[in-house]
Amino acid sequence: MSDNTIVISIDAGETRIALIENGTIAELYIERSREKGIVGNIYKGRVVRVLPGMQAAFVDIGMEKAAFLYVADVFDAIEEYESLLDDGKKDHEENGGNGDQQPPPTHPDFKPLHPIEELLQEGQELLVQVSKEPLGTKGARITSHISLPGRHLVYMPTVDHIGISRRIEDEEERERLREIVERLKQSGSGYIVRTVSEGKSEEDLLSDMQYLSTLWAEIAKRKDSGSAPSLIHSDLDVVQKVVRDIVTEQVDRIVVDSRPDYDRIIQFITTFVPKMKYSIELYDEEEPIFDHFGLEVEISRALGRKVWLKSGGYIIIEQTEALTAVDVNTGRFVGKHNLEDTILKTNLEAVKEIAYQLRLRNIGGIIIIDFIDMEKEVNREKIFTALEEALKSDKSKTNILKISELGPA
């Protein structure tokens, strides 16, 4: 097996994609047809109710529940838009706004430049994009500021702004990318330069701009001809997103067991990553592709509620709507020296597994880690430093807080 391989399994009701790095599953994506999300979809909606007291509006986008549009998602001011990006409502990894002018829209000190009743009225039609899935009795969260992710750039057709991913740290490279985008972009539109753009040529960025501009023109055309409420643009499916976002020159090959998806990937790679076009394989054996690559057993072990560590310790992962809790336990591991050493070794081993699990399961939001309590401050610092180092391989932005006074967390 190549060092870095993407294996794609397509069934009637489910698509599974595994990124294998050095023989180990690093990332796993699962999309079931009946559970396909709507985040990123663009709708032509109609305002059904304006709520001045909440500075929000309900918009009919053709779903069972009306979508929720907050005033911060309707404004024109770039300061507020940057604040929204910094608040994580967009892909915070690619966020380029500085957000210094205004507190985030969810902050109690946030003051919109215009109240919602001056911006919207009942019956008004507008183009919106889903930023958060509907949950329970709540409708989807939407924004009127459209963002279209490409391979190297995120296009913001309604905002005149350039942002650079914070994960691009070299100042000369940031300035080079900014200069290219500033020179090539159309007036009145904006771009966020994604992390994968680091070191890319002007030709690469221009190709992305042309693709995204064409896509936006098609969306605008469908908006003008469509009625409200209606779906104007569906976001990419999981196969297209993975190929767009994680396929790099470091990926040795892609293996897929579906001819239509094989053809779609070939078309995408040929257009956006031509160097990759000869490393795509169509798997047509009788044995299921995940069994062929030995992934089923590893996935079953890795995605269970209890994950065993090699030493005999284990972690428990509990996901709720509000947060994810991870509990570390010594289990069968009794150590060879004193109790503190045993606890330290278990916690250090757990750090590596937790970082792996967060990436594998694509876990985000608030994560509470209950390490086994350590008496020595120096050992707590070792755990904190080890966690920082382990999470560097995850492309998602993380903010790690120090171990709390309540105990390891």
Side-chain angles (χ1 to χ4, degrees):
M1 183 181 294
S2 300
D3 286 344
N4 295 301
T5 301
I6 294 176
V7 179
I8 305 175
S9 171
I10 311 290
D11 289 325
E14 182 178 76
T15 298
R16 295 188 298 170
I17 303 174
L19 170 62
I20 306 170
E21 293 181 349
N22 300 317
T24 301
I25 300 179
E27 298 180 23
L28 179 66
Y29 304 85
I30 300 175
E31 182 177 86
R32 297 176 177 88
S33 56
R34 67 179 184 275
E35 299 173 358
K36 189 174 181 180
I38 62 171
V39 168
N41 285 1
I42 298 173
Y43 296 85
K44 185 174 184 179
R46 179 182 292 109
V47 178
V48 293
R49 192 178 179 191
V50 178
L51 305 172
M54 295 179 62
Q55 282 301 292
F58 286 106
V59 180
D60 181 9
I61 60 172
M63 308 288 290
E64 182 180 353
K65 298 286 185 180
F68 184 80
L69 180 63
Y70 183 57
V71 64
D73 296 304
V74 191
F75 47 72
D76 298 319
I78 184 59
E79 293 88 351
E80 298 176 38
Y81 188 66
E82 288 181 344
S83 297
L84 180 62
L85 288 173
D86 275 344
D87 197 34
K89 298 299 185 263
K90 297 294 180 187
D91 182 355
H92 55 258
E93 180 214 344
E94 311 304 343
N95 169 13
N98 56 39
D100 293 333
Q101 296 91 339
Q102 275 267 57
T106 52
H107 193 280
D109 292 335
F110 175 83
K111 295 293 188 293
L113 298 183
H114 302 284
I116 191 79
E117 58 269 28
E118 292 182 10
L119 300 172
L120 298 176
Q121 53 187 283
E122 291 183 13
Q124 182 177 340
E125 296 182 354
L126 70 164
L127 196 67
V128 295
Q129 185 172 35
V130 176
S131 59
K132 188 173 182 181
E133 297 281 356
L135 180 64
T137 60
K138 297 180 180 179
R141 172 80 182 265
I142 56 176
T143 175
S144 65
H145 284 285
I146 310 300
S147 62
L148 300 174
R151 177 160 178 82
H152 301 105
L153 305 167
V154 177
Y155 181 37
M156 301 179 295
T158 65
V159 179
D160 191 354
H161 174 64
I162 298 176
I164 310 292
S165 167
R166 288 200 178 105
R167 295 179 76 89
I168 300 176
E169 298 179 352
D170 184 87
E171 286 301 325
E172 289 187 9
E173 177 63 5
R174 293 175 66 87
E175 191 56 38
R176 182 187 75 88
L177 292 168
R178 186 183 300 277
E179 187 277 327
I180 291 174
V181 175
E182 181 67 51
R183 179 160 38 85
L184 297 178
K185 83 178 188 72
Q186 294 180 345
S187 177
S189 64
Y191 290 92
I192 296 175
V193 180
R194 306 188 71 178
T195 307
V196 73
S197 295
E198 188 168 12
K200 298 301 180 182
S201 67
E202 179 174 322
E203 183 181 1
D204 292 327
L205 301 184
L206 179 59
S207 175
D208 227 19
M209 284 183 173
Q210 292 171 339
Y211 162 73
L212 293 170
S213 295
T214 300
L215 177 60
W216 173 243
E218 294 173 355
I219 291 171
K221 184 178 179 180
R222 287 196 291 270
K223 173 207 168 189
D224 293 337
S225 61
S227 58
S230 62
L231 174 64
I232 300 298
H233 169 74
S234 291
D235 197 18
L236 302 180
D237 63 28
V238 66
V239 174
Q240 295 168 313
K241 286 180 181 177
V242 167
V243 172
R244 181 192 70 197
D245 294 339
I246 73 173
V247 173
T248 65
E249 286 80 0
Q250 284 70 50
V251 172
D252 299 292
R253 61 173 175 160
I254 303 171
V255 188
V256 57
D257 63 359
S258 161
R259 166 63 72 173
D261 286 277
Y262 170 81
D263 293 337
R264 285 198 302 152
I265 293 170
I266 288 285
Q267 183 179 7
F268 184 94
I269 294 294
T270 302
T271 303
F272 294 101
V273 201
K275 295 178 183 178
M276 286 287 301
K277 63 182 177 182
Y278 299 113
S279 59
I280 307 166
E281 302 172 18
L282 176 63
Y283 179 84
D284 58 1
E285 304 296 330
E286 290 188 7
E287 183 183 23
I289 188 170
F290 269 40
D291 289 326
H292 176 79
F293 282 92
L295 302 179
E296 293 290 2
V297 174
E298 186 174 353
I299 290 172
S300 297
R301 182 201 74 84
L303 295 183
R305 175 177 173 270
K306 177 186 285 190
V307 179
W308 288 96
L309 306 175
K310 291 182 179 179
S311 66
Y314 63 89
I315 61 175
I316 298 289
I317 301 175
E318 297 277 8
Q319 289 184 263
T320 70
E321 291 183 7
L323 55 82
T324 298
V326 183
D327 185 31
V328 182
N329 299 273
T330 53
R332 297 189 294 262
F333 181 49
V334 294
K336 296 182 179 179
H337 301 289
N338 57 47
L339 178 61
E340 184 77 3
D341 287 342
T342 300
I343 291 173
L344 177 60
K345 289 179 180 178
T346 303
N347 282 339
L348 285 172
E349 188 178 7
V351 161
K352 295 180 180 179
E353 184 65 32
I354 290 167
Y356 169 69
Q357 289 290 330
L358 296 181
R359 184 182 177 193
L360 177 65
R361 302 180 191 223
N362 196 26
I363 295 175
I366 300 173
I367 302 165
I368 306 295
I369 304 175
D370 185 9
F371 288 110
I372 306 168
D373 198 8
M374 296 164 288
E375 294 183 359
K376 297 180 179 179
E377 180 63 29
V378 63
N379 288 340
R380 296 181 185 179
E381 286 296 325
K382 286 181 180 179
I383 296 301
F384 182 82
T385 302
L387 185 60
E388 277 188 320
E389 188 64 30
L391 288 173
K392 285 182 179 179
S393 62
D394 195 327
K395 62 179 179 290
S396 298
K397 181 180 174 64
T398 56
N399 180 28
I400 308 173
L401 303 182
K402 289 286 188 179
I403 293 176
S404 74
E405 294 299 323
L406 296 175

